[in-house]
Amino acid sequence: MNTSVTSPRRTLSASPFLAAARGERPERLPVWFMRQAGRSLPEYRALRADTSMMQACLDPELTCEITLQPVRRHGVDAAILFSDIVVPLYAAGIGVDIVPGTGPVVASPVRTAADVENLPMLAAAQVAPVTDAVALLLRALGETPLIGFAGAPFTLASYLVEGGPSRNHERTKALMYSAPEVWHALMAHLAQLTATFLEAQVEAGVDAVQLFDSWAGALSERDYRRFVLPHSASVLDRIRDVPRFHFGVGTGSLLGAMAEAGADVIGVDWRTPLDVGSQRAGGLPVQGNLDPAVLFADVDSVAAETRRIVAEGRRAPSHVFNLGHGVLPGTDPDMITRTVDLVHSL
Amino acid sequence: MNTSVTSPRRTLSASPFLAAARGERPERLPVWFMRQAGRSLPEYRALRADTSMMQACLDPELTCEITLQPVRRHGVDAAILFSDIVVPLYAAGIGVDIVPGTGPVVASPVRTAADVENLPMLAAAQVAPVTDAVALLLRALGETPLIGFAGAPFTLASYLVEGGPSRNHERTKALMYSAPEVWHALMAHLAQLTATFLEAQVEAGVDAVQLFDSWAGALSERDYRRFVLPHSASVLDRIRDVPRFHFGVGTGSLLGAMAEAGADVIGVDWRTPLDVGSQRAGGLPVQGNLDPAVLFADVDSVAAETRRIVAEGRRAPSHVFNLGHGVLPGTDPDMITRTVDLVHSL
């Protein structure tokens, strides 16, 4: 975590979030929420009324404002750049759109060696709207750290191969098994593209990065190690100046392999207790892991679960409080604010 | 597994499926496929052209024919009654329909103590079309065993509380946490209803039963034990004359708890190796666990995965070969037939 001379990197030595990411135990337990910027907030829905998701991700002023909203409202200890995991694909010129109610839809699915060869590579300049948003945010955020992020190669590959969101990933897995050389070429391409995207964010000054492998949990550990780990590792190896968070859902049996791929902090979903998750990840600091569905329960239940998780996090080297997955659309934002306040009081 | 005097129970002492379910190692490794009867078969799609799913489940002749189709085509070692997990709810008079492309849709979601009190109970006579289908099947199947099944209380509860299929089960979990007494009343009702449905099938002569807790994998072990286990146990305790298979997807961390709830054979999805799954389930025989998506790969890859799984199954007390989840709609039926042949040759 050396700061290079030319980087706008901030020190933020008082940040509890960055201290916990280094494995320290700050006085205040840091907390942020995956998808804290977005659909749960009325001020977000108002801003997005006439704007597509992709427009919002590629308009620096709008991205900055949406990223700031949950920091203002909830007092969380970190902002996460408002974006979508398919943004770097779109920026590279791959035909993909985010369709409301469906998710990312890919114009021409990628299934052959020729398809992979024809994929454009991302140049850092193509994500200038994102890095411009980072620059605006660094000024606006004051002492609050900014987390950059990217989707991991497997999750991106699944969108490209399936042509959109998929429950069973059957075409993706068929490609892995039937044409491993095509699969590895695709994954190597996406790893390069993802690393370029993350490096651009780091160079622009984000204080940490999170690699989201949303769908890694669809894989056995055996398949993750053969088909995914080397490529996620090649992304994470390229990130050296800021702490790296590595997260996926349903990854209870993959935490060791995901830690090996690279992580300073391992994200744990609600199915695995944080102390167990840390052990499986070779003793890493942990992030998580309140079940986002629990935020729909009553105040006392949410508080009890929060306290349990904080206690389990104390048995790991350090802990960044978060959900075990993203904020669900119908979540009451006041429940999030209350939870932040409770975490800070513990 | 005593046979009562009045039951039409068959002995089928030569059945490899029943031998493996008893923990023996039959000469031929038994194999069947979850959802083997259904959408992957052209002869099924032809039969269903003018018939709704619910009609097909409540027409004994049609149910019988659909159940037989995969036995004829693939030569599997067991038939599974063609049905749907919401059939007993519908039969009891709960307003539920199976909407093509969506799944079960519930007319009036169940979310309060009054809603639970108003739920009708199932009488065995109400599932006469199902038990009539069992009677037809016993005559038609010859030496091939017939598996009865039911959805587990948690999975049924999620449909009733959410009003339909749900990705995050937020209303279900909110009810568990916020109103545990309402939750437990609902689960107790569904356990009674499910036991009645399974007992009716056993009395009609099915040779084994499988309890499908499709969505148990959405829960942490802690929540499974508190909110689900006692109710699944009360169902499984009632089944004494035939072997009980207990299965859910994404249940790698729940296998021990699911075994405690009751199982003679534990079903394991593709994420957990069979030998590991057996250990976690306290040394039970296992069923599984080819990834259904792998059937979309080439013949050699499917064969290699099949051989690996058979080898891992040899390290459990006994093994019923199956998928790690149901057959996916676009699966090539010839790949299923080939896999059956390969398993039988190993």
Side-chain angles (χ1 to χ4, degrees):
Chain A
M1 283 180 237
N2 300 313
T3 305
S4 77
V5 180
T6 55
S7 153
R9 179 104 30 254
R10 301 157 333 149
T11 308
L12 304 180
S13 51
S15 160
F17 169 79
L18 291 174
R22 287 189 299 265
E24 299 165 17
R25 291 216 159 267
E27 209 158 303
R28 186 170 89 179
L29 184 62
V31 49
W32 67 281
F33 288 76
M34 292 185 276
R35 283 197 190 273
Q36 64 188 13
R39 299 165 297 178
S40 66
L41 299 185
E43 59 269 34
Y44 167 82
R45 295 194 297 268
L47 263 187
R48 272 287 315 282
D50 303 313
T51 314
S52 77
M53 179 66 188
M54 204 64 91
Q55 283 174 311
C57 294
L58 295 171
D59 176 329
E61 311 268 344
L62 202 49
T63 300
C64 175
E65 172 57 23
I66 294 172
T67 301
L68 291 172
Q69 284 176 345
V71 180
R72 278 189 212 118
R73 183 191 264 262
H74 303 309
V76 286
D77 295 285
I80 183 157
L81 187 69
F82 178 76
S83 192
D84 187 277
I85 61 165
V86 299
V87 162
L89 304 179
Y90 179 87
I94 297 169
V96 57
D97 197 15
I98 303 167
V99 178
T102 299
V105 174
V106 175
S108 307
V110 176
R111 292 173 187 167
T112 66
D115 293 343
V116 174
E117 275 163 35
N118 289 331
L119 279 178
M121 187 43 71
L122 179 72
Q126 291 173 305
V127 292
V130 175
T131 50
D132 288 351
V134 171
L136 294 177
L137 279 160
L138 294 185
R139 286 195 288 276
L141 277 166
E143 293 298 302
T144 303
L146 176 63
I147 307 168
F149 81 90
F154 171 69
T155 294
L156 295 179
S158 174
Y159 281 111
L160 290 179
V161 176
E162 304 288 341
S166 166
R167 227 168 87 158
N168 301 300
H169 311 282
E170 56 263 55
R171 289 174 179 277
T172 310
K173 290 178 177 175
L175 183 66
M176 281 178 178
Y177 276 91
S178 299
E181 67 298 341
V182 176
W183 172 258
H184 285 293
L186 172 61
M187 289 291 278
H189 187 100
L190 293 171
Q192 167 70 27
L193 181 148
T194 301
T196 298
F197 185 47
L198 281 177
E199 281 179 335
Q201 294 177 53
V202 172
E203 209 158 303
V206 298
D207 305 291
V209 295
Q210 177 154 321
L211 191 68
F212 280 93
D213 211 349
S214 314
W215 291 343
L219 299 169
S220 66
E221 182 181 356
R222 175 190 159 86
D223 283 353
Y224 180 85
R225 287 186 177 277
R226 282 196 293 174
F227 294 121
V228 175
L229 192 156
H231 305 288
S232 290
S234 88
V235 175
L236 289 158
D237 279 352
R238 297 257 297 269
I239 306 303
R240 301 214 164 264
D241 292 339
V242 297
R244 302 159 306 165
F245 290 67
H246 195 179
F247 172 74
V249 186
T251 51
S253 62
L254 302 182
L255 295 172
M258 289 177 74
E260 284 176 43
D264 299 297
V265 180
I266 193 82
V268 180
D269 89 355
W270 67 91
R271 296 173 180 89
T272 307
L274 287 177
D275 46 346
V276 175
S278 176
Q279 282 161 22
R280 289 191 190 158
L284 282 182
V286 288
Q287 174 173 276
N289 70 347
L290 182 66
D291 187 341
V294 167
L295 291 175
F296 290 75
D298 62 302
V299 170
D300 288 349
S301 297
V302 177
E305 282 295 281
T306 300
R307 289 174 188 277
R308 174 181 64 79
I309 288 163
V310 168
E312 288 170 357
R314 291 212 172 98
R315 298 198 287 272
S318 69
H319 176 207
V320 173
F321 192 96
N322 205 316
L323 299 181
H325 196 185
V327 173
L328 297 172
T331 305
D332 174 3
D334 288 345
M335 197 63 97
I336 296 180
T337 310
R338 277 174 184 275
T339 303
V340 171
D341 291 345
L342 175 58
V343 170
H344 284 161
S345 78
L346 294 174
Chain B
M1 283 180 239
N2 299 314
T3 305
S4 78
V5 181
T6 55
S7 155
R9 179 103 31 254
R10 303 161 327 153
T11 308
L12 304 181
S13 52
S15 160
F17 168 80
L18 291 175
R22 287 190 300 265
E24 299 165 17
R25 291 214 159 268
E27 209 158 303
R28 186 169 89 179
L29 184 62
V31 49
W32 67 283
F33 287 75
M34 291 184 276
R35 282 195 191 273
Q36 63 188 14
R39 298 164 298 178
S40 66
L41 299 185
E43 58 269 34
Y44 167 82
R45 294 194 298 266
L47 264 187
R48 273 288 314 282
D50 302 312
T51 314
S52 77
M53 179 67 187
M54 204 64 92
Q55 283 174 312
C57 295
L58 294 171
D59 176 329
E61 310 268 344
L62 201 50
T63 300
C64 176
E65 172 58 21
I66 293 173
T67 302
L68 291 171
Q69 285 176 344
V71 180
R72 281 192 210 113
R73 182 190 264 262
H74 304 308
V76 285
D77 295 285
I80 183 156
L81 187 69
F82 178 76
S83 193
D84 187 276
I85 61 165
V86 300
V87 162
L89 303 180
Y90 178 88
I94 297 169
V96 59
D97 197 15
I98 303 168
V99 178
T102 300
V105 174
V106 175
S108 305
V110 177
R111 293 174 188 165
T112 65
D115 294 342
V116 174
E117 273 163 38
N118 289 332
L119 279 178
M121 186 43 71
L122 179 72
Q126 291 173 304
V127 291
V130 174
T131 50
D132 289 351
V134 170
L136 294 175
L137 279 160
L138 294 184
R139 288 196 286 277
L141 277 167
E143 294 297 303
T144 304
L146 176 62
I147 307 168
F149 81 90
F154 171 69
T155 295
L156 296 178
S158 175
Y159 281 112
L160 290 179
V161 176
E162 304 288 341
S166 167
R167 228 167 86 158
N168 301 301
H169 312 281
E170 56 263 54
R171 288 174 180 279
T172 310
K173 290 178 177 176
L175 184 65
M176 281 178 179
Y177 276 91
S178 299
E181 67 298 341
V182 177
W183 173 258
H184 285 294
L186 172 60
M187 290 290 280
H189 187 99
L190 292 171
Q192 168 69 28
L193 182 148
T194 300
T196 299
F197 185 47
L198 280 177
E199 282 179 335
Q201 295 177 51
V202 171
E203 209 159 302
V206 299
D207 305 291
V209 295
Q210 178 155 320
L211 191 68
F212 281 94
D213 211 349
S214 313
W215 292 342
L219 299 169
S220 66
E221 182 181 356
R222 174 188 159 87
D223 282 354
Y224 180 85
R225 287 185 176 277
R226 281 196 293 174
F227 294 121
V228 176
L229 191 156
H231 305 288
S232 290
S234 88
V235 174
L236 288 158
D237 279 351
R238 296 257 298 266
I239 306 303
R240 302 214 164 262
D241 293 338
V242 298
R244 302 160 305 165
F245 291 66
H246 195 180
F247 172 74
V249 187
T251 51
S253 61
L254 302 182
L255 294 171
M258 289 176 73
E260 283 175 45
D264 300 297
V265 180
I266 192 84
V268 180
D269 88 356
W270 67 91
R271 295 173 181 89
T272 307
L274 287 177
D275 46 346
V276 175
S278 176
Q279 283 161 20
R280 289 189 191 160
L284 282 183
V286 287
Q287 174 173 277
N289 70 348
L290 182 66
D291 186 341
V294 167
L295 291 175
F296 290 75
D298 62 304
V299 171
D300 288 349
S301 297
V302 177
E305 283 295 282
T306 300
R307 287 173 190 278
R308 173 181 65 78
I309 287 163
V310 169
E312 287 170 357
R314 291 211 172 98
R315 298 197 287 272
S318 69
H319 177 206
V320 174
F321 192 96
N322 205 315
L323 299 181
H325 196 185
V327 173
L328 297 172
T331 306
D332 174 4
D334 289 346
M335 196 62 98
I336 296 180
T337 310
R338 277 174 184 273
T339 304
V340 171
D341 292 345
L342 175 59
V343 170
H344 284 163
S345 77
L346 294 175

